[in-house]
Amino acid sequence: MTDYDPEKFYQGLVKHKLIYPVGVKGAFGRGAVFEDVLDRLNRLIDREASAEGAEFMHFPPIIDRKVLERCDFMDSFPHLVGTVFSFFGKDAKALEVSSRIHQGQPWGDMLAMTDVVLAPAACYPVYPCMTGTLPKDGRVVTLTGWAFRHEPSDEPTRMQSFRVRELIRFGTPAMCLEWRDAWHKRGLELVQSLGLAASSDVAADPFFGRGGKMLANGQIAQKLKFELLVPVISATEPTAVCSFNYHTDHFGKPFEIRSADGEIAHSACLGFGMERCTMALFKTHGFDTEQWPKAVRERLWP
Amino acid sequence: MTDYDPEKFYQGLVKHKLIYPVGVKGAFGRGAVFEDVLDRLNRLIDREASAEGAEFMHFPPIIDRKVLERCDFMDSFPHLVGTVFSFFGKDAKALEVSSRIHQGQPWGDMLAMTDVVLAPAACYPVYPCMTGTLPKDGRVVTLTGWAFRHEPSDEPTRMQSFRVRELIRFGTPAMCLEWRDAWHKRGLELVQSLGLAASSDVAADPFFGRGGKMLANGQIAQKLKFELLVPVISATEPTAVCSFNYHTDHFGKPFEIRSADGEIAHSACLGFGMERCTMALFKTHGFDTEQWPKAVRERLWP
């Protein structure tokens, strides 16, 4: 496939029942074959994570609002967050909500903030679980979770809700940096072993507003974040399918995590964008998995 | 296990790393063994669903807000809904959000409603995908999805966010009723085959407010809903682990689904509460899966 027309790629995914359109952007359904490939990729990563002795955890798509507040998420990414609002009223107010909906009028002002928000990244629920002192060699946790980003888009790789397979390392600064760099290499090899034309680059998070550019430049200068890039909807602007992040003490400090030496623990994480990796496979190898290269099939259908 | 102390059961789940407490009620993490049992149960249901030729679909935990509005969800269950609010402002407002959070002040009024809500039941995203005319024999769809209910509780079986494995039948009234009743029997056998002391009863949804009691009575009188009940946190008030629902034209009408004869299609669904079934297994057979009865292990570790 040499053409990189996002609309045509989207229509191809729909035509092959790999995704099902819904009434809002970036929230489409996934078909049976799409899910099967995504699962198989996840199990391939399972094998790597198990070999490393990572602890498996699993969390719902919502997290404690205080987690977001304690790690200053709204300072940097207020535009991306999704918070959960519910109705707290009695009968009369409930009737008004119904009546407004039936009349097509706004009803958001009838609701109030709850104690939960959508997880902005799959790893966020893990940090408060780590409060305390780590074992001597630190810890590695792995999970697959739903992340939410309020960025409705027609581009299929930019979703409001998507799964990320993460590994998270806790320990001393040296442990975290060494781990992040080793996984950077290992992740690139893994993605390339699936026949994807992946390259790697230093990267920055999508910080908000006028101050955001400066924060992004700082992150790049310190080489805190690397991404693996694969052409999915554009040859010239490839899509980030995996990222490798060194957090320094960004989570260790607010959640009071200490390494065995008594210092504030550092952390690092890596995340495979599961839908993006799956789309990269369909873009690269075509919509019919039976026709995928033998080497790729052997990796995913072992 | 003869005691039914919810607090003790919760502590047992925590002690055995089957669940991980978090800072809010009903949003705990799930441990590796808990997830493994849940997956195995899901694969057991996969085999039943495949035998029936069900179409597999998968959806994110958020859905189009209009879906909720079109099927009158807020008329009946306004207290349970979770809607997603985001920040739409520019720099100055973003600074105010940050400042309020750092000062521990409320910041919900700085946000506004988005186009998405949390799925209140796993099957909701399916209905708008069915608009149009069904094949002659109707359709059966199956999926596992996250449902949200705004009902924070200390009781471990009452979660704010949980997975439901659903099968959904579309067709004529006769097709849907016959299917619902056949699955009612089949579901009971499936749950009993796992050594769970399940019974079945007619049931009602948790309708809101003063009018709710009347709606519930109507639902019971018409036998629209049945539930499978298993003692998990109480012997006298067993927990609903599975439900079987006949919707009549509740979804066919707003989403313009027609059966092959041109009439408005009816629908029925069944849902296994995956966390509740998993907890029922741990409550019934103990926290150590190695010690579970041979017949149960053969079903889940085939």
Side-chain angles (χ1 to χ4, degrees):
Chain A
M1 291 191 193
T2 51
D3 97 54
Y4 291 96
D5 177 343
E7 176 60 19
K8 195 176 166 191
F9 180 55
Y10 178 81
Q11 292 306 337
L13 291 169
V14 171
K15 190 185 153 202
H16 291 84
K17 295 193 177 180
L18 295 166
I19 66 176
Y20 294 96
V22 299
V24 286
K25 296 175 182 184
F28 45 78
R30 285 76 159 153
V33 173
F34 188 99
E35 275 302 294
D36 183 45
V37 170
L38 190 149
D39 274 353
R40 288 172 180 282
L41 178 60
N42 211 4
R43 272 180 267 153
L44 184 64
I45 306 169
D46 273 351
R47 296 195 285 277
E48 302 267 347
S50 294
E52 181 164 341
E55 303 166 52
F56 283 67
M57 294 176 89
H58 204 87
F59 289 91
I62 53 163
I63 64 168
D64 187 353
R65 174 160 48 82
K66 290 193 297 296
V67 172
L68 210 75
E69 293 171 343
R70 283 171 74 182
C71 58
D72 303 336
F73 188 85
M74 293 300 286
D75 294 358
S76 299
F77 314 104
H79 55 311
L80 297 177
V81 79
T83 66
V84 180
F85 275 53
S86 285
F87 173 74
F88 292 83
K90 303 263 182 237
D91 285 79
K93 292 273 184 198
L95 284 174
E96 192 181 335
V97 170
S98 295
S99 151
R100 291 224 211 148
I101 291 174
H102 289 288
Q103 291 170 49
Q105 291 170 358
W107 50 286
D109 61 303
M110 307 285 296
L111 310 179
M113 208 177 206
T114 69
D115 290 335
V116 296
V117 300
L118 289 160
C123 57
Y124 270 65
V126 172
Y127 303 110
C129 294
M130 296 293 131
T131 300
T133 301
L134 299 169
K136 190 168 157 288
D137 295 329
R139 282 174 87 170
V140 182
V141 173
T142 187
L143 53 82
T144 306
W146 286 95
F148 177 86
R149 301 272 166 90
H150 183 240
E151 41 181 1
S153 168
D154 285 319
E155 193 214 286
T157 63
R158 190 159 297 279
M159 290 154 273
Q160 294 204 67
S161 188
F162 51 93
R163 275 158 295 179
V164 184
R165 172 62 186 262
E166 295 226 21
L167 283 97
I168 309 116
R169 177 76 166 112
F170 298 89
T172 63
M175 282 178 196
C176 292
L177 255 177
E178 188 195 12
W179 181 89
R180 196 269 316 255
D181 293 339
W183 259 103
H184 182 187
K185 186 167 171 288
R186 198 165 161 186
L188 182 60
E189 285 166 3
L190 191 148
V191 170
Q192 287 174 338
S193 80
L194 296 169
L196 301 178
S199 60
S200 164
D201 204 358
V202 65
D205 287 309
F207 294 101
F208 177 77
R210 278 180 296 210
K213 186 73 190 153
M214 213 172 63
L215 292 170
N217 288 342
Q219 198 182 19
I220 288 171
Q222 291 176 76
K223 296 191 173 178
L224 295 177
K225 185 183 195 75
F226 290 90
E227 286 178 342
L228 301 187
L229 303 159
V230 177
V232 182
I233 51 115
S234 161
T236 48
E237 290 183 50
T239 300
V241 298
C242 190
S243 75
F244 308 88
N245 308 282
Y246 176 39
H247 310 139
T248 68
D249 62 1
H250 183 72
F251 296 107
K253 215 178 218 170
F255 297 109
E256 295 167 33
I257 313 167
R258 291 187 178 272
S259 44
D261 59 11
E263 299 292 319
I264 293 289
H266 280 216
S267 59
C269 76
L270 68 94
F272 289 89
M274 295 305 291
E275 280 85 357
R276 285 187 170 186
C277 286
T278 304
M279 286 182 194
L281 286 163
F282 283 109
K283 180 69 192 178
T284 304
H285 303 308
F287 292 124
D288 180 0
T289 57
E290 300 283 336
Q291 302 299 320
W292 287 8
K294 188 158 172 283
V296 175
R297 286 194 58 89
E298 281 172 359
R299 292 283 280 162
L300 295 174
W301 283 261
Chain B
M1 291 190 189
T2 51
D3 96 55
Y4 290 95
D5 177 342
E7 176 61 18
K8 195 176 167 191
F9 180 55
Y10 179 81
Q11 291 306 335
L13 291 168
V14 172
K15 190 184 154 203
H16 291 84
K17 295 193 176 178
L18 295 166
I19 67 175
Y20 295 96
V22 299
V24 286
K25 296 176 183 184
F28 44 78
R30 285 76 158 152
V33 173
F34 189 97
E35 276 301 295
D36 183 45
V37 170
L38 189 148
D39 274 353
R40 288 173 180 282
L41 178 60
N42 211 4
R43 272 179 266 153
L44 185 64
I45 305 169
D46 273 351
R47 295 194 285 276
E48 302 266 347
S50 294
E52 182 163 339
E55 304 165 52
F56 283 67
M57 296 177 88
H58 204 86
F59 289 91
I62 54 164
I63 63 168
D64 186 353
R65 174 160 48 82
K66 290 192 297 294
V67 172
L68 210 74
E69 293 171 345
R70 281 171 74 181
C71 58
D72 303 335
F73 189 85
M74 293 300 285
D75 294 358
S76 299
F77 314 105
H79 54 311
L80 297 177
V81 79
T83 65
V84 180
F85 275 53
S86 285
F87 174 74
F88 292 83
K90 303 265 181 233
D91 285 80
K93 292 275 185 197
L95 284 174
E96 193 182 333
V97 170
S98 295
S99 150
R100 291 223 211 148
I101 290 174
H102 289 289
Q103 291 170 50
Q105 290 170 358
W107 51 286
D109 61 303
M110 307 285 296
L111 310 179
M113 208 176 207
T114 69
D115 290 335
V116 296
V117 300
L118 288 160
C123 57
Y124 270 65
V126 172
Y127 304 110
C129 294
M130 295 294 132
T131 300
T133 300
L134 299 169
K136 189 168 157 285
D137 295 330
R139 282 174 86 170
V140 182
V141 173
T142 187
L143 53 83
T144 306
W146 286 95
F148 178 85
R149 302 272 166 92
H150 183 241
E151 42 181 0
S153 167
D154 286 319
E155 194 214 286
T157 63
R158 190 159 296 279
M159 291 155 273
Q160 294 203 67
S161 188
F162 52 92
R163 276 158 294 179
V164 183
R165 171 63 187 262
E166 294 225 20
L167 283 98
I168 309 116
R169 177 76 168 112
F170 297 90
T172 63
M175 283 178 196
C176 291
L177 254 178
E178 188 194 13
W179 180 88
R180 195 268 318 254
D181 292 340
W183 259 103
H184 182 187
K185 186 167 171 289
R186 197 165 162 187
L188 183 60
E189 285 166 4
L190 191 149
V191 170
Q192 287 174 337
S193 79
L194 296 168
L196 301 178
S199 60
S200 164
D201 204 357
V202 65
D205 288 310
F207 294 101
F208 177 77
R210 279 180 296 207
K213 186 72 190 155
M214 214 172 64
L215 292 170
N217 288 342
Q219 198 182 18
I220 288 172
Q222 291 175 77
K223 295 190 174 180
L224 295 177
K225 186 184 194 75
F226 290 90
E227 286 177 342
L228 302 187
L229 302 158
V230 178
V232 182
I233 52 114
S234 162
T236 49
E237 291 184 50
T239 300
V241 298
C242 191
S243 75
F244 308 87
N245 308 282
Y246 176 40
H247 310 138
T248 68
D249 62 1
H250 183 71
F251 296 106
K253 215 179 218 170
F255 297 109
E256 295 166 34
I257 313 167
R258 293 189 176 270
S259 43
D261 60 10
E263 299 292 318
I264 293 291
H266 280 217
S267 59
C269 76
L270 68 95
F272 289 90
M274 294 306 291
E275 280 86 356
R276 284 187 171 187
C277 286
T278 304
M279 286 183 195
L281 286 164
F282 283 109
K283 180 69 190 179
T284 305
H285 304 309
F287 291 123
D288 180 0
T289 57
E290 300 282 336
Q291 302 299 319
W292 286 9
K294 189 159 170 284
V296 176
R297 286 193 58 88
E298 281 173 358
R299 292 283 279 161
L300 295 174
W301 283 261

